[in-house]
Amino acid sequence: MMKNIIKKGLLAFSFAAALALSGCSTEVAEEPREIYTPVEIETTELGTLESTVTLSGRLSANEEVSLFPKAQGVVTSVNVKIGDAVEEGTVLFTIEQDDYARNTESALNSVQLAQKSVDQAANGLNSAKINFELNKEKIENAMLNLERTRILYEEGAVSKSQLEQAELSANALNLDVLKAQVTQAEIAYQQSLSQLEQARVGYDQAQSGLENTIVKSPIKGTVSALNVVQGQIATGAQVAATVVETDRVFLKVNVVENIVTKLSAGQKALISVPSVSDELIESTIEYVSPTADPRSQLYSVRIYIDNPTGSIKPGMTGEVTLTLESVENSIIVKSDAVLYDNGETYLFVVEGDKAVKRIVETGLDTGDHVEIKSGLKAGEKLIVQGQHYVADGGEVKVVRGE
């Protein structure tokens, strides 16, 4: 279009000059104007291009614990208030302990009695075994003596009464009786062990019940809710206290499927919390959900950040910028410099005072900038303004740029 305007101007000029010359032959004709297209250029260079997406989400505490009392009873003391910072193991409140203490003492007595029964049964078993071993040896000797006595009796060397006495001493039934005594002692010992175990279980339960009257914080954090009052009854039916850990918080965002495929744990992330500060916080993705939410069909992504001062509160809105694609050490140009026509992708560079058309292959395109994969080298003079008005080989004049 500009070329047409210039041509029309020249024709008008020539026509006017001809008229002037016909009217006054003494005037000197002006020289024709130079024909060129003014352009702006940039020198191409290697760089990095990233495709990013910015998403909003809610910040949540790293950990939030709701405490339900395991013991039921009257609250005897409340040691904290909402907003207090607590350590792991800090006593939050206590419940009346008298009944639990009595149960624990009774259970301990049962354990002690059961232990005595075990000791007695163990002694009885030990005595039965010793008695069995002693009498076993005697009976075995008596049986050997019986064999000799029978031989002597057959030879007429001993009387029948002596034989009968030897048979009585070697009676194996005596050994069976001793074996039965050992078996009964073993049964009694095992029963006493079982009773001891049951007593210990009862004691552990009673002791646990007593310990449950002292409600402690399981984590380091801040008391965010407290629903118990001294003198009132606490039950396990409702949350008594809530403790949140805010030294570390996380931003949760939900992404669609064509974005989640480009994200992974460890990937760089830049977070901003506008209500706290304008500064960006560098972090990395810690978790990418492997499955979509069945209702929203979105994938959950979590990014954690440190919050030592506690200035970031759970529930605040945050934004995160994530890199989806990235190329390095590549020719990066403004997207407007690239032209498309009849299936060709091209641009113009300046060589001398001429515009030269280059067919190029593009790569990553962010909308503002595009990667040139082939057809252009670093250090060339790329036309970034005026490219729509030049032709391959057309004369140009650099009016702006390097």
Side-chain angles (χ1 to χ4, degrees):
M1 179 178 179
M2 183 176 288
K3 290 170 67 177
N4 292 334
I5 294 172
I6 294 173
K7 287 179 179 179
K8 290 179 180 178
L10 290 175
L11 288 173
F13 173 80
S14 299
F15 182 71
L19 290 176
L21 288 173
S22 63
C24 181
S25 59
T26 59
E27 293 183 7
V28 179
E30 294 183 7
E31 295 183 1
R33 293 182 181 179
E34 185 179 4
I35 301 174
Y36 62 82
T37 303
V39 296
E40 178 182 346
I41 65 167
E42 287 184 359
T43 302
T44 59
E45 58 185 16
L46 298 176
T48 298
L49 183 63
E50 293 183 341
S51 172
T52 63
V53 62
T54 299
L55 304 166
S56 297
R58 291 286 178 182
L59 287 149
S60 301
N62 178 46
E63 191 172 1
E64 181 174 329
V65 180
S66 296
L67 301 173
F68 292 84
K70 295 180 181 180
Q72 179 174 323
V74 176
V75 176
T76 55
S77 66
V78 179
N79 304 330
V80 296
K81 61 182 182 297
I82 293 177
D84 282 356
V86 295
E87 299 292 328
E88 181 180 351
T90 298
V91 176
L92 304 179
F93 61 93
T94 59
I95 294 173
E96 203 278 323
Q97 297 180 331
D98 291 349
D99 291 341
Y100 293 97
R102 283 192 291 270
N103 291 338
T104 302
E105 185 178 358
S106 176
L108 179 60
N109 291 334
S110 297
V111 170
Q112 293 171 344
L113 290 174
Q115 184 62 59
K116 289 180 180 180
S117 297
V118 169
D119 295 341
Q120 292 173 354
N123 291 334
L125 176 59
N126 188 50
S127 298
K129 287 181 176 179
I130 292 174
N131 188 44
F132 174 78
E133 293 299 328
L134 291 175
N135 286 279
K136 178 182 177 183
E137 184 177 357
K138 290 180 181 180
I139 291 173
E140 288 174 348
N141 291 334
M143 293 182 74
L144 292 174
N145 183 56
L146 175 61
E147 291 300 323
R148 290 193 295 268
T149 303
R150 281 176 178 167
I151 295 172
L152 292 174
Y153 175 75
E154 291 173 357
E155 294 175 353
V158 296
S159 64
K160 186 175 181 179
S161 61
Q162 288 176 312
L163 175 61
E164 291 174 348
Q165 183 62 39
E167 289 175 344
L168 184 61
S169 299
N171 191 349
L173 291 176
N174 294 332
L175 189 59
D176 292 338
V177 171
L178 295 175
K179 283 183 179 179
Q181 291 176 350
V182 172
T183 300
Q184 290 299 322
E186 287 178 342
I187 293 172
Y189 177 67
Q190 293 300 326
Q191 289 176 340
S192 64
L193 285 177
S194 177
Q195 292 170 354
L196 175 61
E197 182 62 26
Q198 290 177 0
R200 284 175 174 168
V201 169
Y203 173 73
D204 289 342
Q205 292 175 343
Q207 183 68 23
S208 178
L210 180 60
E211 292 173 354
N212 288 336
T213 61
I214 303 174
V215 181
K216 302 177 181 179
S217 174
I219 62 171
K220 177 184 177 182
T222 303
V223 179
S224 62
L226 192 62
N227 303 316
V228 291
V229 178
Q230 184 174 348
Q232 293 185 355
I233 295 177
T235 69
Q238 66 176 5
V239 176
T242 301
V243 180
V244 295
E245 185 219 325
T246 57
D247 285 348
R248 197 165 180 248
V249 296
F250 69 87
L251 179 67
K252 178 183 176 182
V253 294
N254 297 310
V255 300
V256 295
E257 59 185 34
N258 64 331
I259 291 181
V260 76
T261 56
K262 299 175 182 179
L263 302 178
S264 60
Q267 198 167 323
K268 183 179 71 173
L270 291 176
I271 292 179
S272 66
V273 186
S275 59
V276 175
S277 172
D278 293 331
E279 295 183 3
L280 292 176
I281 304 169
E282 292 187 8
S283 186
T284 56
I285 295 174
E286 186 154 326
Y287 170 78
V288 178
S289 173
T291 58
D293 182 279
R295 293 172 296 178
S296 65
Q297 293 302 308
L298 298 176
Y299 295 81
S300 174
V301 178
R302 288 189 181 188
I303 306 100
Y304 283 81
I305 54 177
D306 292 329
N307 184 37
T309 64
S311 57
I312 300 175
K313 310 297 183 184
M316 287 182 172
T317 300
E319 293 183 346
V320 60
T321 299
L322 302 172
T323 300
L324 303 181
E325 295 180 79
S326 176
V327 291
E328 298 179 352
N329 202 33
S330 298
I331 300 295
I332 309 299
V333 303
K334 292 179 178 178
S335 296
D336 291 343
V338 182
L339 304 174
Y340 305 90
D341 186 34
N342 294 326
E344 283 187 339
T345 302
Y346 61 97
L347 42 73
F348 287 99
V349 297
V350 174
E351 294 183 359
D353 59 356
K354 304 293 184 182
V356 178
K357 182 179 180 180
R358 293 283 184 83
I359 304 298
V360 295
E361 178 188 0
T362 59
L364 178 61
D365 189 346
T366 65
D368 294 328
H369 292 82
V370 62
E371 171 197 11
I372 303 299
K373 301 178 73 173
S374 65
L376 189 66
K377 297 182 296 183
E380 296 195 88
K381 298 177 180 179
L382 174 66
I383 298 178
V384 294
Q385 289 290 338
Q387 66 271 25
H388 297 282
Y389 307 109
V390 301
D392 188 21
E395 188 173 343
V396 297
K397 182 176 182 179
V398 177
V399 297
R400 189 180 300 170
E402 302 173 13

